[in-house]
Amino acid sequence: MPEHTLNTSAGPETVTATEAAPGLHVYEIPADVSPASPYRWILAHHEGPALGSFETESAATGAAEAAAPLADWTRNAMTVANLIGPAGMQELTERLRELGAQHPNA
């Protein structure tokens, strides 16, 4: 299983992730990070940038499967953003919201 490092107010933390789609990781945030938030599951690019937070692992995994056809997520984050472009990023955000995503810091 891949590991994913996220930045927290207490410093970087490494968690175990699953690769829900090539280049897209799903992981649960540590219990001490935003403990009151019900959105514990994060969908993120493999390099780190979070795309959305979800209430369940299955919702985050489903969102990864929905996002997978939009880009080659195995490329670096900047390349993916450039390939998708502003309109594609808006489409991605809307699609993730329809699937229950919240801002990753919710």
Side-chain angles (χ1 to χ4, degrees), residues 5-101:
T5 301
L6 59 143
N7 293 316
T8 71
S9 59
E13 291 199 40
T14 300
V15 296
T16 300
T18 58
E19 189 167 48
L24 293 173
H25 288 178
V26 169
Y27 60 89
E28 186 174 17
I29 59 174
D32 61 332
V33 176
S34 301
S37 176
Y39 302 98
R40 312 295 309 159
W41 292 92
I42 305 295
L43 168 60
H45 183 272
H46 67 94
E47 287 185 337
L51 303 173
S53 60
F54 298 84
E55 290 188 274
T56 66
E57 181 178 16
S58 63
T61 299
E65 293 166 359
L70 299 177
D72 177 357
W73 296 98
T74 63
R75 300 188 69 178
N76 74 48
M78 185 59 70
T79 299
V80 170
N82 287 333
L83 290 172
I84 291 176
M89 291 302 289
Q90 182 175 350
E91 177 187 343
L92 173 62
T93 300
E94 290 171 5
R95 183 178 281 185
L96 293 177
R97 282 189 187 140
E98 289 170 1
L99 295 169

